[in-house]
Amino acid sequence: MVITLVRRVTAVCLLGTALTACAATVHQASRVAGPVPSATTAPPTLAPGPGGLTPVFRNGSRAHGRTVALTFDADMTADQGARAAAGEHFDNPGLISALRALKVPATVFMTGRWAEEYPDQARSIGRDPLFEVANHSYSHYAFTDDCYGLPTVSADRMGADVERAYAAFRKAGVPEARPYFRFPGGCYDRRALQELTPAGVTAVQWDVVSGDAFATDAEAVARQVLEGVRPGSVVVMHCTRSAAPTTERVVREVVPRLRARGFRFVKVSELIGS
C-alpha cells in the first residue's frame, strides 16, 4: 500500500515541525541493529528534537541554492507476498533506469519486505552511487492508528520493525543503508518519535506531494510537482508499478523542466548536511 492521493498528509508534517527542532547539527547516535555507518564519513543526521525525540526533516534550506531531492517509496506490506506471487508488480525497474539515464541522484525509501521480494534490485540500487537507500519500515504497517487504512504496528514493536528492515537490506546486499526513516503513510505522533529514538534515525517527511499514488494522468502529476517545488524541496513519489504506474513518465517530464529552471537534483543526505 502507498501514500494515498490526499493532501491531508501535509497536516501530519505540521505536527513533526512542532515536535522537533530541525537543527543542522550532525548527530552521531548509537544504534542497535540499525544502519551500518560508512567506513569513511558517516551520513549527516539531525540532532534529537525536544525531549530527545527522533528529529524530523521536511525540507532543506531555501537559501542555499536551487536544490531539490526526489524521493521514492518502494512500498510493499508484510502481507502482500501472495499478490506478488500472483504477478502484481511492486517494483519499477523502468523508473530506476530512467533516473540512471537522466543522471538524477535520488533517495529510495525501501521497506524490508520489498528488499526481500526484489533482492537483486535492492542490491543494484544500494550499490549504485547515484542512489541512497533509506528505511521505510519492514512491514509498511502504520506507526499510528487510523493511517489511511494501513494495518498498525504496536508501539513495543516499532523499533524492531525498523531494525528488521535494516537486516533485510544487509541480507539483500545493500552495503550502507542510510540512517533515515520515512513513516508508512507519513503518519506519526509523539509516541512513534519516542519509540524510534534508540534507532538513531532522522525521520524524513516532505514538502511536495507528487500525487503519483494511484494516478493515471502523468501530466497532472507532473504539473503538481512543478508547481510545488521550491529550493530545498523534498518530493515524495513511489517506486511501485502497480500502485503508481505514471511515475516514470512524470520523472522524464519534470527533470528537464526543473533543470531548465536552474534546479540541481541531490540526495536527501545532501539536503540534511547543507
Side-chain angles (χ1 to χ4, degrees):
M1 300 180 70
V2 294
I3 303 166
T4 55
L5 196 146
V6 181
R7 289 185 179 273
R8 289 183 299 150
V9 170
T10 304
V12 180
C13 299
L14 296 178
L15 173 62
T17 302
L19 290 175
T20 62
C22 291
T25 306
V26 175
H27 174 61
Q28 303 289 336
S30 61
R31 303 178 182 90
V32 179
V36 177
S38 169
T40 53
T41 303
T45 56
L46 297 182
L53 294 178
T54 296
V56 180
F57 180 79
R58 186 166 177 260
N59 59 266
S61 170
R62 305 297 190 191
H64 292 166
R66 297 174 72 81
T67 55
V68 57
L70 299 185
T71 69
F72 299 90
D73 292 357
D75 293 346
M76 187 174 180
T77 61
D79 57 0
Q80 289 178 330
R83 289 167 56 179
E88 184 170 348
H89 295 288
F90 295 92
D91 62 339
N92 195 340
L95 167 64
I96 299 302
S97 294
L99 292 168
R100 284 172 169 149
L102 293 165
K103 296 181 174 55
V104 177
T107 303
V108 179
F109 286 88
M110 191 180 293
T111 69
R113 183 64 188 86
W114 194 99
E116 288 179 348
E117 189 70 28
Y118 306 106
D120 292 343
Q121 293 187 55
R123 181 169 56 254
S124 176
I125 293 169
R127 294 183 178 182
D128 189 333
L130 194 64
F131 306 123
E132 60 186 6
V133 170
N135 197 313
H136 196 31
S137 81
Y138 173 81
S139 63
H140 202 257
Y141 286 3
F143 282 55
T144 65
D145 297 328
D146 191 24
C147 182
Y148 308 111
L150 288 172
T152 305
V153 61
S154 62
D156 63 341
R157 297 299 302 165
M158 290 177 181
D161 192 78
V162 173
E163 293 164 6
R164 187 177 179 186
Y166 280 120
F169 302 155
R170 290 192 290 270
K171 184 175 181 180
V174 175
E176 294 179 9
R178 297 306 197 190
Y180 309 139
F181 179 75
R182 175 163 285 165
F183 287 98
C187 304
Y188 66 93
D189 54 18
R190 183 182 182 88
R191 182 185 66 175
L193 294 175
Q194 186 174 28
E195 291 297 330
L196 292 192
T197 298
V201 296
T202 292
V204 176
Q205 295 288 95
W206 55 84
D207 66 325
V208 178
V209 178
S210 70
D212 66 337
F214 307 110
T216 57
D217 186 343
E219 287 298 323
V221 176
R223 185 165 56 250
Q224 186 158 306
V225 172
L226 292 168
E227 290 175 354
V229 166
R230 299 168 59 195
S233 279
V234 176
V235 182
V236 59
M237 306 178 83
H238 294 86
C239 186
T240 46
R241 271 183 288 175
S242 61
T246 67
T247 309
E248 179 186 346
R249 283 178 285 161
V250 171
V251 165
R252 292 185 182 278
E253 173 73 15
V254 302
V255 165
R257 293 178 66 177
L258 286 173
R259 280 176 170 158
R261 286 161 51 181
F263 279 95
R264 179 173 64 89
F265 294 96
V266 298
K267 305 170 192 174
V268 165
S269 56
E270 183 170 336
L271 284 186
I272 291 176
S274 65

